[in-house]
Amino acid sequence: EPYNKLAVLDKHSFGVSALIQLKEKEILVSSGLDKTLRLWNLTNYECITTVSDISYANTLLESGDFIIIGSFNNVTVFNLKSMKIIYSIDEQNGGFFNSLLELRNGNILIGNSYGKVYLYDVYSNKHAVKKQPLASNFSVMIHINKNTFASGCNKKLKLWKY
């Protein structure tokens, strides 16, 4: 192997579906097909906590004191301070919520595989806008500058201003 293995973190009973390292913290967050979210200490490689009975994540996003979990037909908001799920957005036939982007104003754009995008205010627990169709097969989003982001879908990249 060309790399030196540091540790094996093996608490998930099925495959790992998403990972994110918390900003400015030595904590790794993993989501698994076993419907658990796990927080890992990257100093001693111990599992800090396990949250059960969540949909496995397609994508994870840290936003302040929250982790946003994009899953199939569901987006869950987990509070890092209380270590509890505080609410979920359930969408029947919502597809895979596979793209999360934090906007500079604190809102979250949540894109799904059907080309729907939700603008969500995490801090007030409300949808700011629901089902804004931007593109079909919406797959990825990234910030370009202060109030512009790009989305990738099919063979096209599109630029958006907010």
Side-chain angles (χ1 to χ4, degrees):
E1 294 182 8
Y3 304 103
N4 294 323
K5 188 182 319 177
L6 293 174
V8 176
L9 311 177
D10 63 354
K11 299 280 185 185
H12 285 287
S13 58
F14 291 102
V16 174
S17 59
L19 294 170
I20 188 171
Q21 182 180 354
L22 299 185
K23 298 172 192 154
E24 302 176 20
K25 296 178 183 154
E26 291 293 314
I27 295 175
L28 179 70
V29 179
S30 63
S31 173
L33 300 177
D34 57 1
K35 297 185 177 183
T36 64
L37 184 74
R38 296 180 186 273
L39 278 69
W40 305 88
N41 181 319
L42 290 176
T43 304
N44 62 14
Y45 308 114
E46 297 285 324
C47 183
I48 298 166
T49 192
T50 300
V51 181
S52 299
D53 297 323
I54 64 162
S55 295
Y56 70 87
N58 298 314
T59 187
L60 298 168
L61 173 72
E62 178 188 8
S63 176
D65 294 329
F66 304 101
I67 296 174
I68 316 301
I69 306 161
S71 305
F72 180 70
N73 287 339
N74 179 283
V75 174
T76 301
V77 180
F78 178 79
N79 188 309
L80 288 164
K81 285 189 175 181
S82 67
M83 293 296 200
K84 294 182 179 178
I85 293 172
I86 54 174
Y87 52 89
S88 290
I89 307 166
D90 292 314
E91 272 303 312
Q92 204 64 342
N93 302 316
F96 287 97
F97 290 99
N98 55 1
S99 190
L100 301 168
L101 179 68
E102 183 173 22
L103 301 178
R104 305 280 191 247
N105 62 9
N107 287 331
I108 306 294
L109 282 176
I110 303 169
N112 71 11
S113 57
Y114 294 137
K116 304 288 187 198
V117 172
Y118 297 79
L119 180 62
Y120 202 82
D121 181 351
V122 173
Y123 302 105
S124 69
N125 304 352
K126 294 181 185 173
H127 287 284
V129 177
K130 190 174 178 182
K131 290 189 179 176
Q132 287 294 319
L134 295 180
S136 60
N137 298 320
F138 208 88
S139 56
V140 293
M141 293 183 281
I142 188 170
H143 266 111
I144 300 297
N145 59 35
K146 183 178 176 182
N147 58 0
T148 305
F149 71 95
S151 68
C153 56
N154 294 329
K155 299 176 190 172
K156 298 176 184 171
L157 293 174
K158 296 182 180 181
L159 299 178
W160 306 91
K161 190 169 188 96
Y162 65 91

